[in-house]
Amino acid sequence: MSIIRNLKGEKRENPNTANGTWSVLREMIRGQKTNSGVDVSQNRALQLTAVYGCVRILSETVANLPFPVYRHLERGKERDRNHYLYKILQEQANPYMTAFSFRETMMQHLLLWGNAFAEIQRDNGQRIIGLWPMLPNEVTIFTHNDGSVDYGYRTPDGKPKLLSPDRVFHIPGMGFDGITGYSPLKLASEAIGMGIAAEEYGARFYNSGGRPSGVLEHPHVLNDDGARRMREDWERLHDGLSNAHRVAILEQGTKYNQIGVPPNEAQFLESRKFQTEEIARFFRVPPHMLGDLDRATFSNIEQQSIDFVTHSISPWLKRWEQSVKMQLFSSRTKRTHFAEFVLDGLLRGDTESRYNAYAQAHQNGWLSANDIREKENLNPVEGGDVYLIPVNMTPADTIYDQLEQKKKAQEQMQEQTQQQYNDDDEEEQEEEQNNNRSLTRAQTRALYFRENVRDSNKRILKQSIKRIFKDEQESVMKEAKNAFEERDTSDTFMNWLSDYYNEERERIEQELRPVMQSIGSQVYASVQDELGSTTAMPRDVSGFIQQYIQQMAKRISGNSFSALVKRLEQKPDDIVSALETEFEDWQENRVDSIAQEETIRSSGAITVTAYSVLGVALMRWVAEADACPYCREMDGKTVGVEQTFINTGESLEVEGEENFTPNTSVKHPPIHGGCQCQVVAD
């Protein structure tokens, strides 16, 4: 018998008088007898860990996903938070149930009964204002000769009522007629029953002191009372865990003969494990999600999880989405609105893979910075809606015109540099000519690409740094105002400030990672084009990008902490105002400075690392056409890819200028603040 009665072809009847129609089907509550001798009901089935685990995993996964209402746009879609269904599907289904609880309950009904029902509550304007789950075993579907459908329902207080289709939200599972779904418990009753039987067998085995059953054999004939007393005495002394392993004393020639099969011989553990796999197979849940890791490895768990989303969760989500659109949206809003689950969170890979994918998507122009930030649950930034166009996919006639202009400017700069040495001897002049030899087209294109990468990402990086400083200002000023209400709390504030910036380093790293990953991916693409390489980004390069991001976050947080400490060491009369002034100065000056320096520094560092990994032996310094005297002095200098252009303590000597000594060794640009030089493979 089905849990839902299908009265196809019957006349429409009053449920208060149709007693036969209203006989409620309760066989799944009572339990269905199986060949293993176990009654399988939904409550008993849930006591089996494998069933409970599968139902919980599937129902909680569906309930946990965002389920917003979207409005169709001419191109694309947008969330419509003002639609009356948005709150019901996404936040609160009725005054007593959250959207999570509602979807979790409905999924449990689907997984156990094969059907989920909810009564639709409407206001006077017929707008939906609530969804109330209905017990599937109390629902009867009436299908009539004219094709119409009604729903009979017996409320918890025992009163029957008849509901029209516009009053019932019904999600059917897999079924034979498209109206009602099969009961999964009924179909899987034998597998579940066997699992329950194995569980009960194990419990009884241990309750019997870990002994198989047996027979007491007496050499003489015993009357009924004697046999009963012998059995009762034996069970009293030896049954149960508390009596396990007690020494048995057999009198008058009595013998104990074992007749049960020991669990190891009955393959007890193997049977239980097999039934877990059977139930997982039935619900289509990967065994590793139930704790069975025999076939799971570090390399395949992620793929199994993606497969779980694709083949286990997605069909259920599609049932929800189409049922919601068909039954809950009005005929007018069906053309303009729809509800859709957001799967991005479930399909995320590990952090490195995810950010590499974002970088490629941003670089190739089909995800903007704000699209990526939305997927990472971050707020949009100003200017983040721009979609980049890969410069190496620009029409050839356009880009080569730009390259020729760049090349001419470079040649003019080289001529100016050459003129400074007209009075030098011929040997020095020849050496300088070799240093300043013309760039190849591939090198010129690479310089142009990397310059565009820096410029396009600089604006995004500035917005991120602005936001970082704004968040720091709010946190630090709040604590400062509390701390300096009394003048003797400076030590407490300093300790707090130190702890705050230790933690702030990780927040900065998380904030800057997407844009820096994008820079790294695009710079590596320019190196590929320069060298004519098709090698995918090696792990050494991607690993270096991660290290660079960490060091960059350390630099920014460390400099911020030092700047605030320096302010405090000046012992201003109004500490709070002094700190406010410091943060305002950061917004006016530090933001541009950091964005400028880090885009150039990261571009140079990633370029040199890529050269090293891809086997380049030499690299050459290339200065801009309008470069400063020191950068022009560096122009054309060639070193090994593992060497430095300037060693620690070494100075640049330029005629007519003061000697310039960098703070550290210089392996790549920038050589000083504002420097926009680059390197090329030589």
Side-chain angles (χ1 to χ4, degrees):
M1 296 177 70
S2 170
I3 65 168
I4 298 177
R5 174 162 305 179
N6 182 357
L7 301 180
K8 190 169 183 178
E10 292 190 8
K11 296 181 179 180
R12 201 182 293 261
E13 297 182 80
N14 185 334
N16 293 318
T17 60
N19 294 327
T21 301
W22 271 98
S23 57
V24 180
L25 305 178
R26 300 178 179 272
E27 66 179 32
M28 289 307 296
I29 292 180
R30 294 194 306 269
Q32 178 175 328
K33 199 73 171 180
T34 64
N35 291 328
S36 60
V38 176
D39 289 338
V40 176
S41 65
Q42 76 276 15
N43 290 333
R44 184 64 185 91
L46 284 175
Q47 295 175 16
L48 189 63
T49 56
V51 175
Y52 177 81
C54 290
V55 172
R56 180 179 179 182
I57 289 168
L58 292 170
S59 60
E60 287 184 348
T61 300
V62 173
N64 192 47
L65 291 173
F67 193 25
V69 173
Y70 292 95
R71 178 193 295 114
H72 286 291
L73 301 177
E74 184 177 352
R75 296 181 63 184
K77 61 185 179 182
E78 67 176 2
R79 295 194 182 192
D80 188 355
R81 290 176 170 81
N82 296 322
H83 193 279
Y84 61 90
L85 282 178
Y86 190 96
K87 179 179 179 181
I88 293 173
L89 296 178
Q90 181 76 342
E91 299 173 8
Q92 188 172 359
N94 60 61
Y96 301 100
M97 297 183 73
T98 64
F100 182 99
S101 297
F102 171 76
R103 277 187 267 145
E104 183 182 41
T105 300
M106 294 285 281
M107 274 302 299
Q108 289 174 11
H109 291 173
L110 271 171
L111 294 167
L112 296 174
W113 297 91
N115 295 270
F117 302 91
E119 184 174 355
I120 301 173
Q121 180 184 0
R122 300 178 185 270
D123 60 14
N124 294 333
Q126 294 304 301
R127 286 165 54 112
I128 298 175
I129 59 174
L131 296 173
W132 299 82
M134 303 160 63
L135 293 174
N137 60 291
E138 301 289 0
V139 176
T140 305
I141 295 182
F142 298 88
T143 57
H144 306 285
N145 290 328
D146 60 0
S148 60
V149 176
D150 284 324
Y151 295 87
Y153 182 56
R154 189 181 299 276
T155 60
D157 59 4
K159 296 180 180 179
K161 60 180 178 179
L162 191 64
L163 301 173
S164 57
D166 64 334
R167 295 283 308 282
V168 176
F169 174 48
H170 176 206
I171 306 176
M174 183 181 70
F176 64 94
D177 61 359
I179 298 176
T180 59
Y182 296 127
S183 166
L185 282 191
K186 186 173 183 179
L187 296 178
S189 59
E190 292 298 337
I192 296 173
M194 189 169 179
I196 295 173
E199 192 174 73
E200 290 183 350
Y201 173 81
R204 290 172 179 168
F205 172 76
Y206 287 111
N207 187 54
S208 299
R211 294 179 296 99
S213 58
V215 173
L216 292 175
E217 181 182 351
H218 196 277
H220 306 292
V221 177
L222 296 175
N223 57 30
D224 292 342
D225 289 341
R228 178 176 53 78
R229 283 196 306 272
M230 180 179 290
R231 182 177 64 251
E232 291 176 352
D233 289 343
W234 178 267
E235 291 177 349
R236 176 174 53 82
L237 293 173
H238 300 289
D239 273 2
L241 288 178
S242 60
N243 295 324
H245 310 300
R246 294 185 65 177
V247 177
I249 300 176
L250 302 178
E251 299 178 348
Q252 300 179 3
T254 303
K255 296 180 181 179
Y256 175 80
N257 296 312
Q258 177 180 309
I259 61 173
V261 181
N264 60 326
E265 297 179 15
Q267 294 185 320
F268 172 66
L269 294 178
E270 289 81 357
S271 297
R272 292 202 66 188
K273 185 175 180 180
F274 176 75
Q275 287 311 116
T276 298
E277 294 176 355
E278 280 285 277
I279 293 168
R281 184 181 298 115
F282 185 86
F283 284 101
R284 204 155 52 183
V285 172
H288 79 268
M289 300 184 77
L290 297 175
D292 183 357
L293 301 178
D294 281 359
R295 296 182 178 87
T297 65
F298 287 111
S299 60
N300 70 10
I301 277 187
E302 181 179 346
Q303 187 57 46
Q304 287 187 51
S305 298
I306 294 175
D307 186 69
F308 168 70
V309 174
T310 304
H311 299 293
S312 301
I313 293 297
S314 290
W316 289 113
L317 302 185
K318 188 60 66 176
R319 291 181 192 277
W320 271 88
E321 291 169 355
Q322 295 189 353
S323 297
V324 165
K325 185 165 187 176
M326 183 176 71
Q327 301 175 45
L328 301 185
F329 284 95
S330 66
S331 57
R332 180 177 59 84
T333 56
K334 282 179 184 177
R335 297 191 296 269
T336 58
H337 290 76
F338 64 98
E340 185 176 67
F341 285 96
V342 180
L343 283 170
D344 292 346
L346 287 180
L347 293 174
R348 286 182 178 180
D350 60 89
T351 301
E352 180 179 351
S353 300
R354 195 164 74 250
Y355 284 139
N356 284 336
Y358 288 155
Q360 293 181 23
H362 187 50
Q363 168 195 339
N364 293 324
W366 56 274
L367 279 183
S368 69
N370 281 343
D371 293 335
I372 296 171
R373 293 182 65 82
E374 182 179 359
K375 292 179 180 295
E376 290 296 307
N377 199 26
L378 298 172
N379 292 330
V381 298
E382 182 181 349
D385 293 319
V386 176
Y387 291 87
L388 303 179
I389 300 177
V391 290
N392 59 344
M393 298 180 69
T394 305
D397 55 350
T398 301
I399 192 160
Y400 283 122
D401 287 343
Q402 296 171 338
L403 290 174
E404 288 299 328
Q405 295 175 6
K406 186 83 172 177
K407 187 175 181 180
K408 288 180 180 179
Q410 188 71 30
E411 290 173 349
Q412 290 176 0
M413 188 272 292
Q414 293 169 357
E415 290 174 2
Q416 293 173 1
T417 303
Q418 183 62 37
Q419 290 175 2
Q420 297 178 8
Y421 298 91
N422 287 337
D423 297 333
D424 293 345
D425 58 41
E426 184 176 347
E427 182 179 350
E428 291 177 341
Q429 201 172 58
E430 181 179 355
E431 180 182 355
E432 189 61 34
Q433 287 175 347
N434 290 334
N435 288 341
N436 288 315
R437 61 187 179 276
S438 298
L439 298 169
T440 66
R441 172 162 285 189
Q443 290 172 330
T444 305
R445 188 169 61 243
L447 295 174
Y448 177 76
F449 289 171
R450 289 196 279 272
E451 183 179 347
N452 277 304
V453 170
R454 295 184 324 201
D455 292 343
S456 61
N457 285 281
K458 180 180 175 181
R459 182 177 62 255
I460 301 174
L461 185 58
K462 284 175 61 177
Q463 293 298 325
S464 296
I465 297 171
K466 279 184 178 180
R467 189 166 46 256
I468 289 170
F469 287 167
K470 183 179 179 181
D471 292 342
E472 290 179 2
Q473 182 176 3
E474 292 177 356
S475 299
V476 172
M477 293 311 303
K478 180 180 179 181
E479 185 67 22
K481 290 174 182 178
N482 292 333
F484 293 107
E485 288 179 356
E486 299 181 6
R487 299 293 296 178
D488 59 349
T489 56
S490 58
D491 290 341
T492 302
F493 177 75
M494 288 296 295
N495 291 334
W496 176 89
L497 193 66
S498 177
D499 293 339
Y500 174 79
Y501 274 101
N502 284 334
E503 298 176 0
E504 179 67 3
R505 184 186 308 171
E506 295 183 4
R507 290 190 289 268
I508 295 174
E509 184 180 334
Q510 181 180 4
E511 176 73 29
L512 298 182
R513 182 173 281 112
V515 61
M516 299 308 298
Q517 285 278 8
S518 176
I519 291 174
S521 178
Q522 294 175 74
V523 168
Y524 182 76
S526 76
V527 173
Q528 283 182 305
D529 181 68
E530 179 185 359
L531 303 179
S533 171
T534 59
T535 304
M537 182 183 290
R539 186 171 294 274
D540 288 345
V541 177
S542 61
F544 173 79
I545 294 172
Q546 297 299 326
Q547 293 176 7
Y548 184 93
I549 295 169
Q550 294 171 0
Q551 291 300 316
M552 178 180 175
K554 184 178 180 180
R555 282 195 298 273
I556 294 174
S557 63
N559 290 339
S560 296
F561 176 71
S562 299
L564 293 177
V565 170
K566 186 176 180 180
R567 279 277 185 177
L568 293 173
E569 288 175 345
Q570 295 173 359
K571 298 182 179 180
D573 293 334
D574 189 342
I575 295 178
V576 174
S577 296
L579 293 176
E580 284 280 12
T581 302
E582 181 68 28
F583 281 112
E584 291 172 1
D585 182 65
W586 291 4
Q587 293 289 353
E588 293 177 4
N589 300 309
R590 279 190 71 198
V591 170
D592 286 337
S593 176
I594 292 173
Q596 172 79 9
E597 181 178 356
E598 292 296 348
T599 50
I600 296 173
R601 184 197 296 267
S602 61
S603 175
I606 296 167
T607 299
V608 173
T609 302
Y611 285 163
S612 177
V613 173
L614 296 178
V616 173
L618 300 173
M619 58 183 176
R620 178 156 44 114
W621 191 284
V622 180
E624 290 288 301
D626 56 351
C628 71
Y630 302 107
C631 291
R632 288 201 300 269
E633 178 69 19
M634 293 291 297
D635 186 63
K637 185 174 182 179
T638 300
V639 299
V641 75
E642 300 294 342
Q643 297 175 335
T644 58
F645 285 96
I646 302 178
N647 295 321
T648 303
E650 187 177 347
S651 298
L652 270 177
E653 298 180 0
V654 178
E655 186 176 353
E657 304 287 344
E658 294 183 1
N659 289 351
F660 173 71
T661 304
N663 294 327
T664 60
S665 61
V666 178
K667 191 172 183 178
H668 55 76
I671 193 174
H672 58 74
C675 169
Q676 298 193 43
C677 297
Q678 297 191 61
V679 293
V680 294
D682 204 32

